Amino acid sequence: MKLVLDPAQAMLAKTAADFAAKQQPVERLRALRDARDELGYTPSVWSAMADLGWTGIPFREDDGGLGMGMAEVVLITESLGRGLAPEPYLSAVVLAGGLVSALGSEAQRAAWLAPTIDGSKRLALAQHDEGTRFDPATCLSSAVSDGDGWRLSGRKAHVIDGFAADAYVVVARTSGEQHDRDGISLFLVPADRAGVEVTRQWRVDSRNAAQVHFADVALSRDDLLGELGEGLQPLEEAIDRATVALCGEMLGLMREAFERTIEYLKTRQQFGVAIGSFQALQHRAAEQFVEIELCKSVVMAAARSLDEVGGEGGEPERRSRAVAQVSNAKARCSDAVILVTNEALQMHGGVGMTDEYDIGLFMKRARVCELTFGDAAFHRDRFAAARGF
Amino acid sequence: MKLVLDPAQAMLAKTAADFAAKQQPVERLRALRDARDELGYTPSVWSAMADLGWTGIPFREDDGGLGMGMAEVVLITESLGRGLAPEPYLSAVVLAGGLVSALGSEAQRAAWLAPTIDGSKRLALAQHDEGTRFDPATCLSSAVSDGDGWRLSGRKAHVIDGFAADAYVVVARTSGEQHDRDGISLFLVPADRAGVEVTRQWRVDSRNAAQVHFADVALSRDDLLGELGEGLQPLEEAIDRATVALCGEMLGLMREAFERTIEYLKTRQQFGVAIGSFQALQHRAAEQFVEIELCKSVVMAAARSLDEVGGEGGEPERRSRAVAQVSNAKARCSDAVILVTNEALQMHGGVGMTDEYDIGLFMKRARVCELTFGDAAFHRDRFAAARGF
Amino acid sequence: MSELETFREEVRQWLEANAPQALRGRRNDPAAVPWGGRNPRYAYPESADWLERMAGRGWTAPTWPKEYGGGGLSREHERVLHQELARLELPPGLTGFGLSMIGPTLLQYGTEEQKREHLPKITGGKIRWCQGYSEPDSGSDLASLQTAAVRDGDEFVINGQKIWTSGADLADWIFMLVRTDSSGKKQAGITFILVDMDDPGVEVRPIRLISGASPFCETFFRDVRAPVGNVIGEPGDGWTVAKALLGHERSMIGGMAAPRVSLPELAAEYLGRDEQGRIADPVLRHRVAQSEMDALSFQLTVQRNADSLAAGHQPGPESSMFKYYGTELNMRREQLMLSIRDQQALGWEGDGYSEEELLQTRAWLRSRANSIEGGTSEIQLNIISKRVLGLPG
Amino acid sequence: MSELETFREEVRQWLEANAPQALRGRRNDPAAVPWGGRNPRYAYPESADWLERMAGRGWTAPTWPKEYGGGGLSREHERVLHQELARLELPPGLTGFGLSMIGPTLLQYGTEEQKREHLPKITGGKIRWCQGYSEPDSGSDLASLQTAAVRDGDEFVINGQKIWTSGADLADWIFMLVRTDSSGKKQAGITFILVDMDDPGVEVRPIRLISGASPFCETFFRDVRAPVGNVIGEPGDGWTVAKALLGHERSMIGGMAAPRVSLPELAAEYLGRDEQGRIADPVLRHRVAQSEMDALSFQLTVQRNADSLAAGHQPGPESSMFKYYGTELNMRREQLMLSIRDQQALGWEGDGYSEEELLQTRAWLRSRANSIEGGTSEIQLNIISKRVLGLPG
């Protein structure tokens, strides 16, 4: 595993950065928020991203994708994170799209991957049951056998980009107890199926999120995604990929917030000098710089570790090593993104507290990232378990 | 509970500070260390402390003491801590002496308290069994019933001021399992009893400590201290008092180390100015100042809470509140004393690392204090338990 | 019966007779505490009566002299009064910057005439005050302020802009710092003056914060006039008055650490309990313990300071320490609550969150200002290192 | 077979034939690594032979040019060599400040004559070097140094005192900074010069540290003479050379984070395991995880930097970052080991402690110097904030 961008990756990163900046995402996010836009992102920008090929990056070439890996995905999400771009890349492409790509039947892949890649349809993952803390093995929703199919019941919350999605990958228990690793199944359920009810959730980051309730929804064998009762491992692997993609976003977010703060330190005058000349602030800035450098390394390493394991789970030892890298990245980025955005606000002083100023938007999104897919404490524990202690 | 010294206490504090300073304790400690003095303290200074009445402070007047409380004891230990004075006040007076005072028969009190108060004999507590972590309820040593008495076997370590003590209060199990709260008994065993073997332990702080091994030592009913099998609660109460006394010592230690550091910051020149003019160091110094102010409050409050509960255990609710105060003080002082001495070393730069300079002696003693009677993590957990969570 | 106990009995009887039933049990409900003013707002109609009765006894400002509408009580008597109010879980009769900030400053620096003019209107809740210190280009460097006051006969004519004027949109008067001389050192030439905001030249614009609320404003002054008699202290000597007042402000903000909810209970609710009844997650339990212990230590230090003052010792530089530690503590506590509530702490409005959870989000965002307002944490650390520790530079 | 694989095969065969059995498996034993010098000390007699054989191949300095006694290897070939050494757990043939500090500096700034004179003696382990930078009054403010060198014909005459001269009591030569001009800015007028410590005017006194060891010395110079030809770079231009060398030093100290023992295993040994085989104390387990994750992140960053350099990217200000973070990490790790071993970590000598526990005490005390030596953590943060972030002042 080499921790350096190859020339093609460097070019992709540059393209992504240029495009993302051109879309003025922070201004867009603010406008979408103030308009209480229920979709929470800009469809035309989403289409443009698809046109650039970003939506096809992680998919196999025979599914119409570019056959690249997480090493490339994090370059995209880092660019999105820099500008707080609210487009549903993480949810539709990496998370739900990734699951359909890994597990889908020919019919499912044909029906959903091409529209995902061209941006015409949008998948979302309905995983988190209301009233639980994040843990993929915890599943309250159930799909009870009924004739040749199942009846699905469950109340999902915090569904990322869950409002106005075209279909949901739904996690439901088909056997076993609440925390069992066996007996969890995945289903691919169109949003217009009878009994599916979607409510927009308004969160602090103003992004698209939803509660998705399934009231005795009829499922057929064709709706099953992957093997019955064996959904947990592919689900965890998809969440690991999404976690690393989210780390990329956090990295971009913290870099941008930090650079804006450094700029502010250089220009804001107090006591007749730039406040960046105060040594106490300098040292704190330097400490953040080091943290960000570490984050760059761990995100790159986690992405490449997953790419090395490959798509089919890989051998257990390699998989454990990759899990350790993923959890290391998520814990570190979660802590760093909070540190950097808190410090950004503090160093901006009063103006940082105003809604008019952008830095608060970075802090709000940082908190959502921190608590998505498990916080730093969750991942420290998971790292320890992966390392056998 | 008022958190302010009354005039008598203020006078005691001043006397203690003056006396302690006059004895040049840091120089003495260094000389004792370099001479590999096995006693580790200066008997003539110990006598002088007895002459001042300090050794009688916590004892009842009818036992020849002054009938004062922990509020006064912490004033003495703070003065000792300021100068790293190695005299055995904590062990002989507060810990072992306190247990004999609380539990001793008339005969035991007559035999041991007067010599403790006049400084002619010295008690020590043999509590910590080899190979265990600190927890009063953990007891490996055993006293097995034998005719009218018992046979005591056990290997004690980290016995504070345990070398050349005249007698030991020994914690041993007379019934129950390793971690049971019932079945722990206390015995008062003269050091010259057959089967008692004492080995000097050389620790990083150069103070007196010992391993005390009991090999099938014969005990009679007269050796029992307090009620059979009911030793744990009075033991915990004595350790609580000693813990607060130790907090007093830590407070004195950190105040002295901090003041020396501030003085160094004002005098040491680098880059043409006093290093105390660098804002990064100023802010770190100010943070330490705040921590020390908090420590002053928690030590005072813990001492007074114990005095309010009184000697006989008190009602459970009051006792829980006092336990919370004690653990709060120990956790806070443990963390603060490490912060302050680490920072003292760092701010002194290279000279702080030399053996010739005093500040390293403060750091070494700070670590021993930190890990004695349970570290900060232990006491955070104990605080939570005392508060019912 | 001691004189203090007699007083307690008297207070108890008076409260039983006078405290509105509707307000009992509402001690921790911020809406139940009136701020007074020319156009008062009462969430509970009973508050108007409660204010009037409390003010009638002088108990809106218990320790102020009676001749200015205060209660004339000693600190000990005041404590008894607070204990009895707490017993019935009653809110105070009045709150606001009049009582906490300009009032004490007038008692210390005001002329007899100024005290007689303003203090009774404060204790009676007739006038609501706000503070005009910060300006857009003078945040931590407060003394660099530029709002100008030019003498014109018996009046000063004021032009400039203040920012972070807390509650200015609801206030009647403002106490503010203006520059009357720019020839010397920047701390010289600052004047402390009281201004009636009814003046047509005063314009107030609320600032929307990241929490969505607008507790602060920008306040603009265009040829606003105030009589020379409204200056507190001497013209040009306002910095001395301002620093004394900042002490009152810091103590107030640092004191905000008083917990809204019990952390251990919150943690047990969200994380469950183990077989021994303890918070199930040992790592979070540890963090909760740390936070509770920090709060206890802080509260003990506040008490030690009060006891020391009561015993006649000299006051120290406590206000900077309390401001710094109290606000940092509060901010850490708010963040810990996010960790406890996990994703349920991320709601902004609407479905999927309890009311308490939505309040949590706003309270956390609001708390981020704690270490900035009233002198940043960095400024407090500067003050400690220079004035207390005597470090150079 | 690729050329690199052919090389690997060759190395492997050579090592099998030449590496002493007694040294195999001793890779992590510091005593097994010789420092060379005029009066070399070998804990294992086989080290003398091992040094000679390795030096004969140029593999004591694998990437240095062959004409100076190096191996002339590329970074890739060097990595293969290290991998093969690691496979047999062999220590390197030689270590010391000649290889890590003055050697690279000579390669960058030395004249051809200087390189030919000194480098082969370094790679052959014939001369042991030490560094003379700090002085009692110039710690972090290195450029304020006062040790004077006055020109006298073809020689400089040196008078003054150095401190923290690591290993000076065992060294043969010293590379040092002296002041040849005090008229201008303090950074100007500093000269970098090589001095043979055989000169009778050199006196070395070891400094005893709080850990009980004496790795550092005070070194006094009284009319010590060194030829003008021993100056590296130009006279008065020593600051440039010194800064380059500080980079080598920082990388070395920061790199010390390589763990002596496995923290998770240590914790399991002292704290036990729960039913799932995990470290029994969940709070300490968490701290262990944090430390392991910090170490992994640091190691990945070192690797990323190396990969970036290998890919031809410009070097950045990594040395300050690595020095700062590597040493802070190591110090936290040592403290965590104290928490794990509890009171067993407090031994100084004698009964009651295992050998490993006594080593722990000393290692912890030794680690406290990490954030001071080679430029304090504060200096590294200054460098990052000014040179990397471009903050003013």
Side-chain angles (χ1 to χ4, degrees), chain B residues 8 103 156 173 249 255 271 334:
Chain B
L103 302 176
K156 300 291 185 179
R173 189 165 283 290
E249 181 183 340
R255 291 182 73 176
F271 305 101
S334 291

Side-chain angles (χ1 to χ4, degrees), chain B residues 36 133 158 199 201-204 211 268 270-271 284 342 346 350 353-355 363-364 367 371, chain D residues 136-137 139-141 164 208-210 335 339-340 343-344 346 348-349 351 353 364 368 371 378:
Chain B
R36 294 179 58 82
R133 293 178 91 77
H158 314 309
T199 315
Q201 274 185 295
W202 299 94
R203 304 211 287 182
V204 72
Q211 290 176 298
R268 169 73 171 172
Q270 293 274 273
F271 305 101
R284 282 156 52 185
N342 276 352
Q346 180 69 21
M353 284 300 298
T354 63
D355 182 69
M363 191 181 74
K364 289 171 174 177
R367 277 290 170 189
L371 297 180
Chain D
D137 289 327
S140 289
D141 184 9
W164 313 122
R208 192 174 175 213
L209 292 190
I210 56 174
Q335 297 196 90
S339 296
I340 291 169
Q343 294 208 58
Q344 288 303 121
L346 297 173
W348 186 251
E349 58 186 28
D351 291 345
Y353 307 97
W364 153 59
R368 299 314 306 174
S371 55
E378 289 79 10

Side-chain angles (χ1 to χ4, degrees), chain B residues 118-375:
Chain B
D118 71 17
S120 60
K121 288 199 175 160
R122 204 156 56 68
L123 295 164
L125 174 69
Q127 179 264 324
H128 193 123
D129 287 298
E130 279 181 25
T132 65
R133 293 178 91 77
F134 176 76
D135 177 4
T138 299
C139 186
L140 303 178
S141 296
S142 65
V144 180
S145 189
D146 179 42
D148 212 27
W150 299 267
R151 313 289 303 186
L152 168 66
S153 295
R155 302 171 66 83
K156 300 291 185 179
H158 314 309
V159 178
I160 306 170
D161 299 314
F163 190 78
D166 296 292
Y168 299 95
V169 174
V170 186
V171 184
R173 189 165 283 290
T174 44
S175 64
E177 300 294 322
Q178 186 173 332
H179 301 289
D180 283 357
R181 290 191 57 82
D182 287 333
I184 289 176
S185 302
L186 305 177
F187 298 93
L188 180 46
V189 183
D192 55 8
R193 187 73 58 87
V196 178
E197 191 198 341
V198 182
T199 315
R200 178 68 150 87
Q201 274 185 295
W202 299 94
R203 304 211 287 182
V204 72
D205 64 350
S206 309
R207 300 269 281 259
N208 185 328
Q211 290 176 298
V212 185
H213 293 174
F214 300 92
D216 208 32
V217 175
L219 303 176
S220 73
R221 286 224 80 90
D222 292 342
D223 298 323
L224 181 66
L225 187 65
E227 299 296 320
L228 187 69
E230 294 176 17
L232 184 58
Q233 181 165 348
L235 174 66
E236 285 181 335
E237 290 173 17
I239 290 176
D240 272 347
R241 290 191 296 273
T243 301
V244 172
L246 185 67
C247 288
E249 181 183 340
M250 287 192 271
L251 178 59
L253 190 162
M254 73 177 85
R255 291 182 73 176
E256 179 71 22
F258 183 65
E259 287 166 20
R260 289 181 182 214
T261 303
I262 293 296
E263 192 51 37
Y264 188 79
L265 291 179
K266 289 178 185 172
T267 50
R268 169 73 171 172
Q269 303 272 322
Q270 293 274 273
F271 305 101
V273 292
I275 59 174
S277 64
F278 293 119
Q279 196 192 34
L281 298 188
Q282 291 182 340
H283 280 200
R284 282 156 52 185
E287 283 164 1
Q288 292 170 64
F289 168 81
V290 175
E291 265 307 322
I292 292 171
E293 288 296 309
L294 295 171
C295 285
K296 288 182 191 172
S297 316
V298 299
V299 172
M300 206 179 243
R304 281 151 204 250
S305 295
L306 286 178
D307 288 343
E308 282 187 358
V309 172
E312 293 84 43
E315 35 152 340
E317 211 175 294
R318 263 192 147 165
R319 168 93 190 120
S320 282
R321 276 209 300 277
V323 165
Q325 293 278 6
V326 171
S327 283
N328 185 46
K330 180 59 167 72
R332 176 139 240 122
C333 288
S334 291
D335 285 343
V337 84
I338 297 307
L339 170 74
V340 170
T341 52
N342 276 352
E343 283 285 67
L345 225 80
Q346 180 69 21
M347 291 185 179
H348 275 85
V351 296
M353 284 300 298
T354 63
D355 182 69
E356 201 185 343
Y357 212 82
D358 287 342
I359 208 77
L361 297 175
F362 284 84
M363 191 181 74
K364 289 171 174 177
R365 177 61 186 162
R367 277 290 170 189
V368 175
C369 294
E370 180 213 6
L371 297 180
T372 297
F373 307 140
D375 66 5

Side-chain angles (χ1 to χ4, degrees), chain A residues 166-204:
Chain A
D166 296 290
Y168 299 96
V169 174
V170 186
V171 184
R173 190 167 281 291
T174 44
S175 63
E177 299 296 319
Q178 186 174 330
H179 301 290
D180 282 357
R181 290 192 57 83
D182 287 335
I184 289 176
S185 301
L186 305 176
F187 297 94
L188 182 45
V189 183
D192 55 8
R193 186 75 56 89
V196 177
E197 191 200 338
V198 182
T199 315
R200 178 67 149 91
Q201 275 185 295
W202 299 93
R203 304 212 288 181
V204 72

